[in-house]
Amino acid sequence: MSKIVFRILSISFTVLVCILVVCGLYRIGQDCYEFGYRVYTEPPVADGKGQDVLVQVRDDMDLKELSGLLEEKGLIRDANLFWLQAKLCGYKEEEGIYTLNTSMTAREMVEALKPVEEEQEEAEE
């Protein structure tokens, strides 16, 4: 009798673990999809005219620090998301003071953060 009870408990535990693994994988997949979707569709923080914000990019600042700064200043919602968006757009850090707006998308911010010489080279091509 105890072997039967042990076997039933063993099967029940195995089924429970399988269900938890499947639910966990589903949730992880859902979160990854939502993050990936936001990479290309994230709306600006503000609608309409927005608010101008000055951002100083230092020479020793990497993209992760810049992303944190933009989130801190209220220009973006998620620093990790902006970091990935900027990497995908080919952003290279360039020291300077830039005026960004809360109504700008991540792509527009990356374009605004490009050095002036690089913009002129692209216009000539």
Side-chain angles (χ1 to χ4, degrees), residues 48-97:
K49 198 171 183 180
Q51 178 181 356
D52 285 342
V53 178
L54 285 177
V55 175
Q56 180 176 7
V57 179
R58 297 182 320 273
D59 194 31
D60 64 338
M61 184 180 279
D62 67 0
L63 185 54
K64 200 71 168 163
E65 290 176 299
L66 176 60
S67 299
L69 178 66
L70 295 179
E71 183 177 35
E72 184 181 301
K73 290 189 176 261
L75 289 162
I76 58 173
R77 290 182 187 85
D78 185 345
N80 294 324
L81 181 66
F82 181 81
W83 176 85
L84 182 59
Q85 290 168 323
K87 283 287 189 184
L88 291 173
C89 290
Y91 173 72
K92 296 175 192 147
E93 296 84 5
E94 184 70 30
E95 183 176 10
I97 297 176

Side-chain angles (χ1 to χ4, degrees), residues 2 5 8-9 18 24 36 52 57 65 70 76 81 84 107 114-115 120 122:
S2 67
V5 171
I8 290 172
L9 286 175
C18 289
D52 285 342
V57 179
E65 290 176 299
L70 295 179
I76 58 173
L81 181 66
L84 182 59
R107 180 176 291 259
K114 280 188 177 177
Q120 290 173 349
E122 287 179 4

Side-chain angles (χ1 to χ4, degrees), residues 6-74:
F6 179 74
R7 187 73 175 145
I8 290 172
L9 286 175
S10 175
I11 292 171
S12 298
F13 181 74
T14 303
V15 169
L16 178 63
V17 168
C18 289
I19 289 172
L20 290 175
V21 167
V22 168
C23 289
L25 289 173
Y26 176 78
R27 179 66 185 170
I28 289 170
Q30 194 175 30
D31 289 346
C32 289
Y33 173 80
E34 288 175 14
F35 186 81
Y37 183 77
R38 286 178 54 206
V39 167
Y40 297 102
T41 62
E42 184 74 3
V45 172
D47 292 331
K49 198 171 183 180
Q51 178 181 356
D52 285 342
V53 178
L54 285 177
V55 175
Q56 180 176 7
V57 179
R58 297 182 320 273
D59 194 31
D60 64 338
M61 184 180 279
D62 67 0
L63 185 54
K64 200 71 168 163
E65 290 176 299
L66 176 60
S67 299
L69 178 66
L70 295 179
E71 183 177 35
E72 184 181 301
K73 290 189 176 261

